[in-house]
Amino acid sequence: MSTPVISVSNVTKVFDGGDNRVVALDNVTMHVDRGEMVAIMGPSGSGKSTLMTVIGLLDVPSSGRYMLDGIDTSTLDRDAQAAVRNQKIGFVFQNFNLLPRLTALQNVALPMVYGRIPPAEREARATAALVAVGLGNRLKNRPNELSGGQKQRVAIARSLVNNPEFLLADEPTGALDSRTGHEIMELFRTLNRTQGITVVVVTHDAEVGKQMDRIVSLRDGVINMDALHDYYGIATDDHGRVRTAVQEVVNVG
Amino acid sequence: MWGEQIRMAMESLRANKFRSLLTMLGIIIGSSTLVAVLSLGNALQGQVFESFIDLGTRRIGILPGDPDAAGARITSGYGLLSIKDYEALKTMTATYPDIFRVIVPEVSIKVRARAKTTEIDALVVGTGEGYQQVQSVPVEYGRFFTASESAESARVTVLGGLVVEDLFGKGPENKAAAVGQTVVINGQSLLVVGVVKAAGGPFSSDQRILVPAGTARLRIAGNQDLPGRGLQMSSILVGLKSEGKVTQAEALISQTLRDSRRLAAGAVDDFKLNSPTQSLNILKGINGAITGFIALVAGISLVVGGIGIMNIMLVAVTERTREIGVRKALGATDRDVLGQFVIEAITISLIGSLIGIGSAVALVLAIAAAAGLGMILSFPAIIISLVFALAIGVGFGYYPAKRAALLLPIEALRYE
Ligand SMILES: Nc1ncnc2c1ncn2[C@@H]1O[C@H](COP(=O)(O)OP(=O)(O)O)[C@@H](O)[C@H]1O
Ligand SMILES: [Mg+2]
């Protein structure tokens, strides 16, 4: 068995705002293997986004260990963190976070700018990525000329363009209507099936969770369930036993 | 990477055109002032030099003493120069041929001069045929008067570049045609034998009518004699063999004049010596001081422009906090972000500087064309402006850029 892409061990994250001390993650342990499609679920304030910022190297845990693709992330300085974000992680955000003054092509090329890839190759790869997400005819459009679904496709193209180890998406369908949201989830599914891309999605939406293979459920910073489920909504634990329906997980969470 | 960052900087300037222009204003004004002032200052200095250059610095002017100077005796006609002084000096200079080259008087008389129907106020300067060796009088048409004309106090004259225009009209044809015509001064008809090229500047002969000293004395001055001392002279000019002899020559001239004027041992000189090195240095000093002062003002305006840039960059960093977060999430290092904002600041200051330089160049070229000054643009000033603008972009852009670079990705991304 190869090393997990994401290996979070006993990670705790405490926000210390003087009087109000918040334990956003409490001794969390989880691992994600290459090729998995994982949903991190839980109600608002349960620590999903905090876990995602730790996994995305956007923030550091208060304690515990995070191994990313075999690298102990506590050993990385700021530049090395930037390089890992650039090479190994593809971010997709709820509000897209495209740069408004850049065209779709330029937005998608941005990670390659920071990856020091020559302009000609940048353009070729960015074009290919946009074609792959079905936006081959929107290369020169700026974000304000694109629909929500199209913007999220541009963001996904951008997240893929440096061939990362995994995609990290925080509520990727949160700003989209349900049909478009479904299409975006289908895109993740296709990328996973055809290219074996590892996808971690943070969501509070049961419909989104259903479309993933595995659900990690958080509550008050603690993982209260980590289970596989089939496409029909039956969640099973590591040993394949049926634990509970996804719908219930979410309701309980 | 650099190309990308310059492109991004241009992009963000274009997105805020008016704001960028306002920000640039200080730099625009500073750069244009710097280039215009240094160019025009250089040109002025060049002119001052030119009026001296033919003579080198091998000349001493002898001027009347100042009756208000400390130690001056209060007598009528104190310190004035006369033909007696001139004669004494002429005798002395003849005995030191290895020091002195030439000596000429300047007898200045204000007159009305008439040619055909035009009549003007003018200054007649009576001098010798050696005048060209101590004054810059480039003859454009005709010739200077000769030694024999000088000796005979002939009715001839050489007209200054502006005098000839006033009397005979502008343009080369009129100037050339003036040679051979007559000018009437105090009822005396003088034949124009030469016309001096207009040189501009405060030391040229443009406004003068040059005649032999004897002609001035006998035919024009009427009685301009000093009681008991003969013809009054406004100055006496002495040309030297070499610059190295200035000190020696000044000593000889002083001694000769003191002797001929019978000054007591303790009395102050009742005349003044004036070497071009001195006046040139004074003029250069004044010009330099004025140029320096305006350049300082330009520098201050550049610094104020820099503060404007710093201000707008701080605003930009705040406005674009989210963008910075996104860039960092996508793999931008601190240095990438630092570089982006510094380059943006440099782009503002350099474009501002180029606009300023452009307008200054247009202005200077227009002035040069109007005044017939030729190529007077100061290229060092342009380089200085650009270097200054670059330094200001880096200097005032660094702090805002550093703030952007040090933002934590998570804080920046969460920023609303
Ligand atoms: N920067 C922060 N400072 C203080 N508390 C925070 C910060 N970020 C998150 N928290 C707190 O940590 C807990 C988990 O937040 P979060 O991870 O955003 O939850 P979720 O994404 O599941 O809604 C919440 O109680 C939240 O208020
Ligand atoms: Mg959240």
Side-chain angles (χ1 to χ4, degrees):
Chain A
M1 181 129 187
S2 63
T3 48
V5 188
I6 297 167
S7 177
V8 174
S9 310
N10 310 108
V11 161
T12 295
K13 178 73 186 179
V14 180
F15 291 108
D16 217 346
D19 292 345
N20 48 337
R21 206 177 103 102
V22 179
V23 181
L25 293 176
D26 188 359
N27 206 28
V28 166
T29 298
M30 70 169 285
H31 310 285
V32 175
D33 285 323
R34 222 168 285 277
E36 280 198 279
M37 283 194 80
V38 183
I40 296 173
M41 299 190 69
S44 181
S46 57
K48 306 182 296 289
S49 294
T50 305
L51 180 55
M52 147 136 180
T53 60
V54 169
I55 293 174
L57 285 187
L58 297 171
D59 206 351
V60 288
S62 308
S63 66
R65 203 157 70 122
Y66 170 31
M67 304 286 286
L68 192 159
D69 197 22
I71 304 165
D72 183 348
T73 57
S74 67
T75 63
L76 302 174
D77 63 13
R78 284 170 72 106
D79 280 358
Q81 285 172 7
V84 169
R85 285 194 294 269
N86 183 248
Q87 294 298 313
K88 294 186 186 285
I89 307 176
F91 287 94
V92 178
F93 302 94
Q94 173 171 2
N95 50 8
F96 324 123
N97 275 338
L98 299 177
L99 300 192
R101 288 194 300 271
L102 303 189
T103 63
L105 194 67
Q106 289 167 336
N107 265 293
V108 173
L110 208 50
M112 293 186 283
V113 170
Y114 296 123
R116 305 294 191 271
I117 287 166
E121 187 183 341
R122 287 205 300 255
E123 178 151 351
R125 273 168 58 180
T127 306
L130 280 166
V131 170
V133 298
L135 288 178
N137 56 347
R138 289 284 185 277
L139 302 180
K140 300 288 178 194
N141 292 72
R142 283 171 217 278
N144 62 3
E145 299 158 348
L146 299 173
S147 71
Q150 288 174 328
K151 283 186 215 176
Q152 200 57 302
R153 283 168 190 274
V154 173
I156 292 170
R158 180 178 68 182
S159 73
L160 289 169
V161 81
N162 268 352
N163 302 316
E165 296 299 329
F166 59 91
L167 299 194
L168 201 49
D170 191 0
E171 306 280 7
T173 63
L176 304 174
D177 62 64
S178 61
R179 224 190 89 193
T180 317
H182 194 82
E183 282 170 19
I184 292 297
M185 293 315 294
E186 283 300 315
L187 178 58
F188 282 135
R189 169 63 65 188
T190 310
L191 291 167
N192 178 261
R193 289 252 169 83
T194 58
Q195 301 177 39
I197 290 172
T198 311
V199 182
V200 178
V201 171
V202 168
T203 182
H204 69 277
D205 183 348
E207 284 304 310
V208 172
K210 276 184 191 172
Q211 292 174 71
M212 307 298 281
D213 294 336
R214 173 183 161 198
I215 294 173
V216 175
S217 173
L218 273 174
R219 190 188 169 108
D220 294 336
V222 179
I223 293 181
N224 65 355
M225 195 207 78
D226 185 346
L228 300 173
H229 81 88
D230 63 28
Y231 209 81
Y232 305 100
I234 306 300
T236 55
D237 67 10
D238 295 5
H239 308 288
R241 283 174 302 186
V242 174
R243 283 284 286 267
T244 177
V246 174
Q247 198 61 48
E248 285 176 44
V249 169
V250 174
N251 288 342
V252 168
Chain B
M1 193 71 215
W2 279 66
E4 196 65 23
Q5 290 191 323
I6 291 169
R7 203 181 53 72
M8 290 190 300
M10 300 298 286
E11 204 87 52
S12 86
L13 294 196
R14 213 172 303 142
N16 296 302
K17 277 195 208 76
F18 189 60
R19 187 169 101 177
S20 307
L21 191 70
L22 285 181
T23 306
M24 286 173 190
L25 217 53
I27 303 283
I28 293 176
I29 293 170
S31 284
S32 58
T33 312
L34 207 61
V35 171
V37 166
L38 291 186
S39 292
L40 296 175
N42 265 1
L44 185 59
Q45 192 145 314
Q47 283 232 316
V48 171
F49 268 122
E50 230 167 76
S51 37
F52 280 104
I53 206 90
D54 302 353
L55 324 167
T57 44
R58 300 171 293 153
R59 187 186 77 162
I60 295 173
I62 300 145
L63 297 169
D66 180 359
D68 296 329
R73 284 168 296 132
I74 319 295
T75 56
S76 104
Y78 172 84
L80 296 179
L81 295 171
S82 74
I83 196 158
K84 282 182 99 170
D85 299 312
Y86 176 72
E87 299 294 351
L89 288 169
K90 197 172 166 114
T91 314
M92 184 276 291
T93 54
T95 55
Y96 295 98
D98 55 329
I99 298 179
F100 298 101
R101 197 156 53 109
V102 67
I103 175 166
V104 291
E106 279 189 326
V107 179
S108 304
I109 309 160
K110 289 203 174 90
V111 296
R112 299 278 296 164
R114 180 165 55 80
K116 295 173 190 157
T117 56
T118 318
E119 195 170 296
I120 59 167
D121 286 316
L123 186 70
V124 163
V125 174
T127 185
E129 72 283 357
Y131 197 54
Q132 282 182 295
Q133 296 180 53
V134 288
Q135 267 295 23
S136 172
V137 275
V139 175
E140 193 173 18
Y141 302 105
R143 57 174 177 81
F144 207 76
F145 52 79
T146 61
S148 63
E149 283 168 340
S150 195
E152 291 161 13
S153 302
R155 297 163 189 266
V156 292
T157 179
V158 175
L159 300 180
L162 291 179
V163 172
V164 72
E165 282 185 2
D166 289 346
L167 287 174
F168 294 98
K170 290 185 198 295
E173 347 52 74
N174 286 329
K175 286 190 183 182
V179 177
Q181 311 253 20
T182 43
V183 173
V184 181
I185 298 169
N186 289 0
Q188 300 285 326
S189 295
L190 303 180
L191 175 70
V192 178
V193 295
V195 171
V196 179
K197 187 171 167 30
F203 302 99
S204 68
S205 297
D206 291 353
Q207 312 266 23
R208 296 179 175 184
I209 295 176
L210 303 174
V211 299
T215 311
R217 181 188 190 189
L218 296 174
R219 307 189 194 282
I220 298 173
N223 187 358
Q224 201 179 322
D225 287 5
L226 294 170
R229 292 199 266 164
L231 178 69
Q232 183 186 347
M233 295 183 166
S234 48
S235 64
I236 298 166
L237 300 176
V238 177
L240 306 182
K241 287 279 189 201
S242 82
E243 202 179 334
K245 313 258 182 184
V246 169
T247 323
Q248 219 180 333
E250 278 179 342
L252 283 167
I253 292 167
S254 283
Q255 200 50 56
T256 309
L257 285 174
R258 289 185 74 89
D259 289 351
S260 84
R261 293 173 167 225
R262 299 204 186 84
L263 289 186
V268 296
D269 287 347
D270 60 352
F271 53 87
K272 280 191 298 194
L273 302 188
N274 179 0
S275 63
T277 330
Q278 269 170 15
S279 34
L280 192 61
N281 283 343
I282 291 169
L283 279 164
K284 273 162 82 175
I286 294 170
N287 189 19
I290 294 172
T291 307
F293 177 73
I294 303 181
L296 182 74
V297 171
I300 290 172
S301 141
L302 281 173
V303 169
V304 170
I307 294 169
I309 289 178
M310 180 140 135
N311 180 45
I312 217 69
M313 290 311 295
L314 284 170
V315 171
V317 169
T318 307
E319 279 177 351
R320 284 152 67 186
T321 301
R322 255 196 109 78
E323 171 189 329
I324 294 162
V326 172
R327 289 181 184 276
K328 289 199 157 186
L330 299 181
T333 61
D334 295 355
R335 288 181 57 121
D336 289 332
V337 174
L338 180 79
Q340 179 188 338
F341 282 91
V342 167
I343 284 175
E344 194 163 319
I346 292 175
T347 307
I348 295 176
S349 63
L350 277 186
I351 290 179
S353 181
L354 286 174
I355 294 174
I357 291 171
S359 37
V361 166
L363 179 77
V364 168
L365 291 184
I367 291 177
L373 290 176
M375 192 58 203
I376 60 168
L377 262 188
S378 165
F379 288 98
I382 293 176
I383 303 294
I384 290 172
S385 274
L386 285 173
V387 170
F388 229 86
L390 190 73
I392 278 170
V394 175
F396 288 93
Y398 187 82
Y399 171 69
K402 191 72 190 173
R403 273 179 52 158
L406 291 180
L407 282 173
L408 294 173
I410 180 63
E411 303 293 343
L413 271 174
R414 201 179 280 141
Y415 187 84
E416 292 302 331

